[in-house]
Amino acid sequence: MKKKIVFGAATVAIAAAGTFGAVSANASAPAAAPAVAAKADASNKNLQQTTHLTIDAATEAAQATLDAAEDENQRITVAVVDRNGNTIVTLRGDGAGPQSYESAERKAFTAVSWNAPTSELAKRLAQAPNLKDIPGTLFLGGGVPVTAKGAPIAGIGVAGAPSGDLDEKFAQAGLASLSK
């Protein structure tokens, strides 16, 4: 009995999905208009090529950052985000505080969003205190942008050291590893 109910429910779900798909397809385009595929080529001014940090490069930068902190007996977390603020890699060092994970990601996001180190951005709060209210940002030292041809492509954020200056020093070590 159970098999028949499951099979019957599956049949109804498949039939409903097929009907919905047919209705959606018919509702979105007139029947007489054939679908036209856009041709993508390098000369099309509507396309733009961008540079991205690979996962290997992001991991290398994160490890170099963590190593620099460990050399000074600091317990930190490092996050590397892409141009859109999506996390590529996060490494939480042994003994890093629980708040450091989110703080590192937010510093990396802030640095790539404004294409500036977060220590510089923190100074801007005096003129524009509402900047700190933007979701996902953290205006404390420890975030640096990664750039290619002057444009931001990623951000490195560090949290957990006793000061933002140290966090940023370690982030700079990760950034420097990318140019080797």
Side-chain angles (χ1 to χ4, degrees):
M1 174 88 169
K2 229 180 198 180
K3 288 183 184 178
K4 288 181 185 178
I5 293 172
V6 171
F7 179 75
T11 303
V12 170
I14 291 169
T19 302
F20 178 73
V23 171
S24 296
N26 290 336
S28 64
V36 178
K39 183 177 179 183
D41 61 50
S43 64
N44 186 336
K45 293 186 189 224
N46 294 321
L47 298 178
Q48 182 178 0
Q49 253 186 338
T50 61
T51 304
H52 297 279
L53 196 62
T54 66
I55 188 151
D56 290 339
T59 303
E60 178 183 320
Q63 188 61 56
T65 301
L66 194 59
D67 291 346
E70 287 175 351
D71 287 348
E72 296 190 28
N73 294 316
Q74 296 299 318
R75 296 176 179 104
I76 60 120
T77 296
V78 56
V80 181
V81 301
D82 67 12
R83 174 63 184 112
N84 299 317
N86 299 309
T87 302
I88 301 172
V89 64
T90 302
L91 297 178
R92 184 177 174 272
D94 293 336
Q99 78 289 351
S100 65
Y101 192 93
E102 181 181 353
S103 296
E105 287 182 334
R106 290 175 59 192
K107 288 179 184 183
F109 173 78
T110 305
V112 74
S113 295
W114 275 273
N115 193 22
T118 53
S119 60
E120 288 179 24
L121 296 170
K123 295 173 189 172
R124 295 183 193 175
L125 289 178
Q127 292 82 31
N130 290 346
L131 281 178
K132 69 180 178 347
D133 297 332
I134 297 173
T137 60
L138 187 57
F139 293 88
L140 297 173
V144 296
V146 178
T147 60
K149 298 180 185 176
I153 62 165
I156 300 173
V158 176
S163 72
D165 292 340
L166 278 175
D167 285 340
E168 191 162 317
K169 174 183 173 183
F170 303 138
Q172 289 288 352
L175 181 62
S177 76
L178 294 173
S179 60
K180 290 180 181 180

